[in-house]
Structure formats: C-alpha cells, structure tokens
C-alpha cells in the first residue's frame, strides 16, 4: 500500500476524514474532496502532512455531475505536480448526507437529492475517473447497515445505498479484466456529525442502537476508518465484490 494514492470523496469530516487519516498512517497519499467547509478540509490536509505524507484537498459536489470534467482535470494536474504520476490507486466513494423522513412523507426533491449524491454521483464520478485509476487498483463504495435492517424514516436513504451495493457487484465483474477490486462497506450507526449528529448527541438514539448491537455500543469513527484501510490493503487482495458490514453485530 505504501506510496499509493487514494482519492476519497467527503474527506473533510466524519468517516471520510477518519478513513483518510487511517490510510495516510499507512503511507498512502490522499486527495480528499469537500463540498463546503474548505477550512476543515485544509485542516485535515495539514494533519496528514504532519504524518509525512502528501495530501491535497479539492472542491467537489458529488451531486453535481456537471463538475466532474473540471474535477478530473484538477485531479490529473495534482497527480502530476505533487506525485509525478499519471494515475492513482484507490477510489473511496464516501461523500453523502443523511435523510430521516417516512416513505409516505418524503418529497420528490429530497428523493432526487439522495439519488444524485448517493447513486448518480458515485456512478458517473467512478466512470469519469476510470482512465486515471491504475490497473490493479481498488474501488470502495460506502453503503449503510440500513440496507439490511429497517428503521422507519430511512427508506429512501437505504434504497439508494442498496442500489450502490448492486452496482458494486457489476463494477467488480466488468472491471475484473483490469484487475480492479470493487467492494462496498456498510457501516452501522456511528458517533459522528452525520445526520445532524443524532447518533452521537441524542442519548436515547445512542442507547437504543447500543441495546440492539451484539458488542453493546454504537460505532466510533476509528472502527470504520480501520475497516476502510483493511479492505483496501494488500492483505485483502482476494476480497472482491463483497458487502462488508461494520456494525458490531447490529440487529442479529
């Protein structure tokens, strides 16, 4: 893994930030994207550089496919200028946002936003970046434990994540000729600011999820960041086309 380069969307906070730091700790260069909060992104870059690893933050709204051509050219330039390379090794489709609304009350504009960020965006961004992803590289899509267990209010979010899980298998099949591994990681509830920080800050929600988890607590960012690094590692080289849940044993 050392001397590899990873591109991770939504790497300025939450699970994306933790995953970026865990990969950087293994000597992997990082290109992280952010939709807003540029100061957060630059703080992560500084933290990674303090580890002695190169890192760059680039703006990108994954829900806006019109930005993908410009982003691809920016990435191409960064790879050449910072790493003197024409390609990169790992793509982590992580960027996203939460949505908590009953199926019967979900508005079309909310549905469209979720599809754009969690399905259409990763679909076409990955397609756009394929020429820059080296043969033998890796793609990791981020899904959710909610595709397996049901909590009212998460139908739309879970449905688009479920579509990404199906897409992952097709990507693995179709990109196998280039020896590109594609897997999908499905975190359970994690203490971050995702969804307004409801799992982290709402003690009732936190306790309810912990009571349904075999290991007796909700997840922490390190739990997911370590799993991201593990799945992308050389030691996991024969793991392909798999949904890997990282939930501590939720709702068994």
């Amino acid at each position: 893994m050392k001397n590899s380069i990873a591109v991770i969307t939504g790497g300025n906070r939450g699970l994306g930030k933790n995953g970026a730091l865990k990969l950087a700790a293994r000597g992997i260069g990082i290109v992280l994207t952010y939709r807003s909060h540029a100061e957060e992104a630059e703080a992560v870059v500084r933290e990674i550089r303090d580890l002695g690893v190169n890192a760059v933050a680039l703006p990108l709204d994954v829900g806006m496919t019109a930005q993908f051509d410009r982003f691809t050219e920016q990435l191409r330039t960064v790879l050449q200028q910072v790493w003197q390379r024409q390609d990169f090794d790992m793509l982590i489709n992580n960027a996203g946002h939460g949505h908590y609304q009953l199926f019967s009350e979900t508005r079309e504009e909310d549905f469209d936003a979720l599809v754009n960020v969690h399905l259409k965006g990763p679909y076409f961004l990955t397609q756009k970046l394929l020429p820059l992803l080296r043969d033998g590289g890796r793609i990791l899509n981020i899904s959710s434990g909610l595709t397996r267990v049901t909590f009212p209010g998460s139908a739309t979010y879970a449905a688009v994540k479920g579509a990404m899980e199906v897409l992952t298998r097709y990507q693995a099949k179709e990109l196998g000729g280039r020896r590109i591994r594609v897997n999908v990681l499905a975190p359970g509830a994690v203490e971050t600011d995702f969804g307004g920080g409801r799992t982290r800050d709402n003690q009732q929600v936190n306790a309810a999820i912990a009571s349904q988890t075999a290991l007796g607590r909700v997840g922490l960012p390190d739990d997911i960041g370590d799993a991201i690094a593990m799945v992308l590692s050389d030691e996991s080289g024969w793991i392909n086309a798999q949904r890997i849940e990282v939930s501590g044993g939720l709702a068994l």
Side-chain angles (χ1 to χ4, degrees):
M1 290 178 72
K2 195 173 178 63
N3 300 319
S4 296
I5 303 167
V7 175
I8 180 165
T9 63
N12 58 303
R13 57 169 56 187
L15 301 185
K17 172 185 175 180
N18 195 274
L21 291 172
K22 294 291 186 177
L23 290 169
R26 298 187 178 205
I28 296 171
I30 302 294
V31 179
L32 63 92
T33 77
Y34 62 95
R35 185 179 65 86
S36 56
H37 303 289
E39 70 286 352
E40 288 182 350
E42 290 303 326
V44 178
V45 166
R46 289 193 297 272
E47 194 170 348
I48 292 171
R49 288 176 177 168
D50 286 344
L51 298 173
V53 178
N54 280 329
V56 176
L58 295 176
L60 177 67
D61 185 340
V62 173
M64 300 288 291
T65 56
Q67 296 183 9
F68 291 178
D69 283 337
R70 182 170 182 268
F71 172 76
T72 301
E73 289 310 308
Q74 288 180 316
L75 176 60
R76 193 188 308 273
T77 298
V78 161
L79 291 172
Q80 292 173 345
Q81 292 181 347
V82 177
W83 286 278
Q84 293 76 54
R85 284 184 52 179
Q86 309 295 321
D87 56 13
F88 69 99
D89 305 274
M90 307 170 189
L91 173 62
I92 303 100
N93 285 308
N94 166 77
H97 65 278
H99 177 260
Y100 306 101
Q101 196 74 43
L102 293 174
F103 164 75
S104 58
E105 299 172 3
T106 297
R107 302 176 303 170
E108 186 174 354
E109 53 263 41
D110 294 327
F111 177 91
D112 289 344
L114 285 163
V115 169
N116 287 341
V117 171
H118 293 278
L119 178 59
K120 182 179 178 181
Y123 187 108
F124 287 104
L125 181 62
T126 302
Q127 185 187 82
K128 184 69 67 173
L129 295 181
L130 280 178
L132 297 181
L133 182 63
R134 71 168 178 84
D135 290 354
R138 300 138 208 199
I139 298 170
L140 183 61
N141 298 317
I142 304 298
S143 179
S144 169
L146 291 166
T147 61
R148 180 180 62 83
V149 299
T150 55
F151 288 91
S154 295
T156 312
Y157 175 80
V160 293
K161 288 297 193 182
M164 280 302 298
E165 293 184 4
V166 174
L167 178 63
T168 295
R169 297 197 300 272
Y170 277 86
Q171 289 174 327
K173 182 73 169 180
E174 295 187 16
L175 300 177
R178 291 183 54 190
R179 295 176 289 105
I180 294 173
R181 293 196 292 119
V182 191
N183 291 292
V184 58
L185 196 74
V190 185
E191 291 187 1
T192 68
D193 57 6
F194 187 80
R198 63 181 293 185
T199 299
R200 181 192 61 199
D201 302 331
N202 187 317
Q203 291 306 305
Q204 288 183 320
V205 170
N206 191 296
I209 296 170
S211 71
Q212 298 181 57
T213 303
L215 294 182
R217 64 171 175 85
V218 302
L220 300 174
D222 279 347
D223 297 322
I224 313 305
D226 284 333
I228 289 172
M230 180 273 292
V231 174
L232 292 169
S233 69
D234 293 339
E235 291 81 2
S236 299
W238 203 236
I239 298 175
N240 193 28
Q242 299 303 305
R243 177 191 186 273
I244 301 161
E245 185 168 314
V246 190
S247 68
L250 176 63
L252 299 177

